Amino acid sequence: MDISISKIIEKGEGRTVEFKEKLPKSDTLVKSIIAFANGAGGKVLIGIEDNTKLIKGLSDRECSEYTDKVINSVYDLCYPIIRPEIYRYSIDDKGILVVNIYPGGSLPYYLRKEGRENGVYIRIGSHNKKAGLEEIQELERKSRNISFDEIEDFDADLVDLDIDKLSKDFYEYTEKKLSKNELINLKILKKNGGLEIPTIGGYLLAGKNPDKYFQSAIKCARFKGATTDIFIDRKEFRGPLYEQVENAMKFLMTHIELSGKVEGIQRVDKYSVPIKALREAVINAVAHRDYSISGADIKIAVFDDIVEITSPGLMPGALTLDDIGSGRSEIRNKVIARFFREINFIEQWGTGFKKIISICEEAGLPKPEFYEKGGFFQIAFKKLTETNGGLKQNASVENDVGGLNGGLNGGLNGGLNGGLNGGLNDSLNKLIALIANSPGIKAKDLAGILDRSINTIEKQIKQLIDKELIERRGSRKTGGYYVK
């Protein structure tokens, strides 16, 4: 038995697999073949009962006849030409016909009789869907190796970008100046007929009107319990994408439970989900979401038991869920991803998911779950529980460290202050925990997360430095705090 084929059958139908008991009508089969060619590729396995994984098998004669019919149907009905690999395979002495389709290079593929505008099909989950205009345009861009965020925004010009702010923030992250040539090299601007035109990516990073691309927001919510019935808090973040990342992280660090216990003579604080893993996931969502999809946002949902980060668009290109953690990468937004790498949000292409999984495993958490739901990609983190060495399932930090989460059920009025006013040791321990989970964090960010004045935070930071528990590294403008 072919191990890969048997595993495919065991997993069932999905984005890259379809079962057919007998050869279907030509149009039905070809729509699946077109959808696979327009996406990550896939296999049609004929001889397996739909939805049941039951191997019915085909005779040698059926395999031979079906092979000829598939070849003729694909040649007659598809455009551009698709060349599937077709072969017979035996499983438990039962023959199945494997129609293997590779990701195409002449996108988009379509049903010839329906034409390019109406005959393009894509794969969503285990179903074929007729592609809309935005999806067809995305396939055309992919064929030309152009990302959506590289396209010139002809409705904007240089005055629509806040270049001064972008340059200032870039310097704070990198200690490097952002020259006009660098703006063009990063494709934040493109030269066109003697003019400097912002790209869509450039506008998403520096545009003065954050509502222009209304689909670029991050919407965050903390729910009571395990359903979306009751909001405890919700925020919506717009503006430069790198600021959205920072603001989303402040929201998460406010609402992710923190537990503490004494080990020896030291108190050890631990978040119910590692902050570093969440940051990688938020950066991934912002850098790789599909910005061509109108009316959709990144959504971050914090429940009592899990944290979900959902972004518009399936995995880019020919990547599938099976590729997660393998190191393979495809960049959907080249301008945004390159800028994020310049400011050290992204360290190395293809390592994000591996890092997320590794951080969770080191913290004693199960591997995050990855989903493609409809046209969205989602990462779900299970929170650390009492049974696996951490917080109770619905733990409140009020019980564990004196009230970091104490105000949530009361509507977030003074939610952090309840614990911080409880004593100097707890206050300092919270600061240490935040710094440990976000190395290089700045005083102003600590003040924002903990809802304290910058003067109070700076005094407490001085106490920790005097105790030789933390240290400052880097320049006055770009440096931050680290645990020693």
Side-chain angles (χ1 to χ4, degrees), residues 148-196:
F148 178 71
D149 67 341
E150 289 181 294
I151 298 172
E152 292 101 327
D153 183 356
F154 288 105
D155 294 329
D157 55 36
L158 200 54
V159 299
D160 294 309
L161 302 188
D162 194 341
I163 296 298
D164 288 341
K165 173 177 169 51
L166 184 70
S167 298
K168 176 179 174 293
D169 293 341
F170 186 81
Y171 186 81
E172 286 194 4
Y173 280 112
T174 67
E175 295 189 347
K176 295 189 295 186
K177 292 184 178 179
L178 196 57
S179 66
K180 184 65 70 66
N181 284 338
E182 190 66 14
L183 289 170
I184 292 171
N185 289 337
L186 291 171
K187 295 188 178 178
I188 289 169
L189 301 175
K190 278 189 177 180
K191 288 188 175 180
N192 189 305
L195 299 175
E196 291 162 343

Side-chain angles (χ1 to χ4, degrees), residues 134 148 214-215 289-297 312-314 375-376:
E134 290 176 343
F148 178 71
F214 61 91
Q215 68 267 35
R289 65 147 292 179
D290 189 345
Y291 288 96
S292 70
I293 299 175
S294 308
D297 312 284
L314 303 175
F376 293 80

Side-chain angles (χ1 to χ4, degrees), residues 254 256-260 267 391-392 394-410 414-420 422 426 430:
T254 299
I256 300 297
E257 297 90 349
L258 183 68
S259 70
R267 180 188 177 93
L391 294 169
K392 297 178 181 177
N394 298 329
S396 167
V397 181
E398 184 175 13
N399 298 324
D400 290 305
V401 292
L404 180 61
N405 208 27
L408 288 177
N409 292 333
L416 292 166
N417 294 333
L420 292 174
D426 277 349
K430 287 165 195 165

Side-chain angles (χ1 to χ4, degrees), residues 249 270-283 325 345 347 351-368 370 379 381-384 388 436-439:
M249 289 310 302
K270 183 182 290 187
Y271 282 97
S272 59
V273 180
I275 296 300
K276 290 180 182 178
L278 289 172
R279 185 175 179 84
E280 285 289 334
V282 172
I283 289 170
F345 275 24
E347 292 181 5
T351 62
F353 288 137
K354 291 176 71 173
K355 187 181 294 185
I356 289 169
I357 294 168
S358 174
I359 292 169
C360 288
E361 288 176 346
E362 288 175 7
L365 281 174
K367 176 182 174 181
F370 303 90
I379 304 179
F381 295 89
K382 292 183 180 178
K383 289 185 177 180
L384 201 63
N388 60 25
N437 280 282
S438 297

Side-chain angles (χ1 to χ4, degrees), residues 142 288 315-319 323 327-333 349-350:
K142 183 181 175 185
H288 298 297
M315 294 192 71
L319 295 181
D323 296 316
R328 281 190 60 192
S329 68
E330 290 195 28
I331 301 171
R332 173 176 272 130
N333 301 299
W349 308 129

Side-chain angles (χ1 to χ4, degrees), residues 18-31:
E18 185 161 305
F19 298 154
K20 297 294 180 186
E21 183 178 345
K22 297 290 183 181
L23 186 70
K25 292 180 180 179
S26 294
D27 280 13
T28 301
L29 175 66
V30 166
K31 286 176 183 177

